[in-house]
Amino acid sequence: MLTVICETPGLLRAQDRPKPTRAEDEVLLRVKRVGVCGTDLHIFTGNQPYLSYPRVMGHELSGIVEEVPADSSLAPGDMVYVMPYLSCGRCVACRQGKTNCCVNIQVLGVHRDGAFTEYLCVPQGFVHKVEGVSLDQAAMVEFLAIGAHAARRAGVRADQRVLVVGAGPIGMAAMIFCGLRGARVTALDTRRDRLDFCAAHLRTAACVEVGHDDEQRLAALTDGEFFDIVFDATGNPKAMERGFKFVAHGGTYVLISVVGGTISFADPEFHKRETTLLGSRNATTEDFETVLAAMRAGHIPDAALNTHRLRLAEVPDGFKDLLDPARGVVKAIVEC
């Protein structure tokens, strides 16, 4: 079977690997679609803190069941999505239902090989049948669930003023689900094309381009009070540090981004606001179900989000083009 491996940063190679043999508790899947995530781009560029090379990337996937255990509720031919965060079910986080931050988590495409391949074996507890959505949509559930989880974790409410810093796919996912909760969402980004996309397809209340007067413009949008909730989805340490100043007094700052370093903030400013600081990692089954319900209801502009496509065999040569801002990539989907 064709498999694409990231051997070292910047180097992808196609290999012919044997079709995997299913373990007793695993489901064998024929991979059909794989969404390309910011995590994959960071792996390719060498900026993913939890990874060692070589690695088969890809954790946003949908597929068709090929083989199942005898006691499985799934059957060959079922269309499925995969929860790519393989949690242990035993640790302190899992015992609280926080499987998204399991102590022993194994994320497909990061800690273990992922879906840039034709067949994949996954423990059956992480494979879920989907109905009422397409293979393309099913491959987009995971990144949207990260935004749904962040919005739920922050407790976003109707009419709150929300700022999302970083208008990449994860930031857009946060915008979508904050908007579905009734918040007034403002997007802040360096790229005008991304902001135009948010205005056209995500119904953001305002879009502000990073520049010399962006702080003044954000203040003007909020009568100088700034935002009840600020989300960072930039993956940029300086942006993450700067975001503290956009939080209103009594407000909440949510870091969806993860970086391989240390961020800092001014303690007097943090304390005088009584800021609530939250990390938001991955998503849970509840968040995946939230996304699927929104998709079935027609609330997700998935066709607009899927701006680019390529086949698995095209990935070694074509992947680097997805990093080019001039190509306007929002979400690329690989067809296997």
Side-chain angles (χ1 to χ4, degrees):
M1 64 177 185
L2 174 64
T3 301
V4 175
I5 302 167
C6 187
E7 292 193 341
T8 59
L11 179 60
L12 298 176
R13 291 194 187 278
Q15 284 189 356
D16 184 19
R17 286 187 168 184
K19 184 177 176 180
T21 300
R22 181 181 64 80
E24 184 176 352
D25 68 335
E26 290 183 330
V27 175
L28 175 64
L29 302 177
R30 174 69 186 261
V31 179
K32 299 299 290 182
R33 303 285 189 275
V34 189
V36 178
C37 177
T39 297
D40 301 316
L41 301 176
H42 292 154
I43 292 169
F44 183 72
T45 56
N47 294 315
Q48 218 295 330
Y50 300 131
L51 180 127
S52 59
Y53 298 87
R55 180 63 69 224
V56 178
M57 301 185 296
H59 62 274
E60 302 178 6
L61 70 143
S62 63
I64 304 296
V65 172
E66 291 273 324
E67 299 175 8
V68 296
D71 62 347
S72 180
S73 61
L74 297 167
D78 284 348
M79 188 174 82
V80 295
Y81 74 87
V82 171
M83 174 79 82
Y85 328 120
L86 308 186
S87 52
C88 72
R90 302 179 303 275
C91 72
V92 60
C94 288
R95 294 198 305 269
Q96 300 176 73
K98 298 180 179 182
T99 55
N100 57 302
C101 55
C102 169
V103 173
N104 306 302
I105 200 165
Q106 293 284 297
V107 179
L108 293 177
V110 179
H111 303 97
R112 57 188 281 178
D113 283 348
F116 279 12
T117 187
E118 292 183 293
Y119 292 90
L120 184 68
C121 291
V122 181
Q124 65 172 329
F126 300 92
V127 183
H128 301 272
K129 185 176 179 179
V130 291
E131 295 177 328
V133 301
S134 67
L135 283 167
D136 283 355
Q137 289 174 310
M140 299 173 79
V141 171
E142 190 272 343
F143 91 89
L144 291 163
I146 292 174
H149 180 76
R152 179 169 65 89
R153 180 147 166 71
V156 175
R157 303 188 307 273
D159 294 325
Q160 284 188 309
R161 296 169 299 191
V162 168
L163 174 67
V164 179
V165 186
I170 298 299
M172 290 182 187
M175 294 177 208
I176 289 169
F177 286 95
C178 289
L180 289 175
R181 286 171 168 256
R184 290 172 286 154
V185 180
T186 296
L188 176 67
D189 199 88
T190 59
R191 287 176 53 178
R192 186 72 251 171
D193 62 323
R194 285 281 177 89
L195 295 172
D196 290 343
F197 183 97
C198 293
H201 299 289
L202 308 186
R203 300 188 298 277
T204 47
C207 293
V208 176
E209 190 171 357
V210 172
H212 71 280
D213 64 343
D214 57 0
E215 186 173 348
Q216 290 78 12
R217 293 178 65 192
L218 293 172
L221 288 170
T222 57
D223 297 323
E225 294 180 339
F226 290 103
F227 296 86
D228 303 305
I229 306 176
V230 177
F231 295 87
D232 179 88
T234 64
N236 181 293
K238 294 299 183 185
M240 294 165 78
E241 292 175 348
R242 187 175 185 236
F244 281 90
K245 68 170 58 179
F246 302 138
V247 182
H249 281 241
T252 298
Y253 191 26
V254 185
L255 300 180
I256 312 175
S257 297
V258 59
V259 294
T262 300
I263 63 169
S264 61
F265 54 87
D267 187 61
E269 293 296 320
F270 180 78
H271 267 83
K272 78 179 185 182
R273 290 168 167 80
E274 198 179 53
T275 304
T276 298
L277 178 61
L278 297 173
S280 183
R281 187 182 186 194
N282 300 330
T284 66
T285 300
E286 178 181 348
D287 304 308
F288 277 68
E289 291 297 332
T290 296
V291 174
L292 287 164
M295 279 182 167
R296 295 184 190 110
H299 296 322
I300 307 296
D302 49 89
L305 290 165
N306 176 206
T307 55
H308 291 69
R309 305 180 76 84
L310 63 166
R311 299 195 65 78
L312 183 61
E314 298 169 335
V315 168
D317 293 329
F319 192 85
K320 63 182 180 298
D321 293 337
L322 303 179
L323 293 160
D324 182 0
R327 294 181 179 268
V329 179
V330 176
K331 175 58 60 175
I333 290 181
V334 175
E335 297 183 14
C336 300

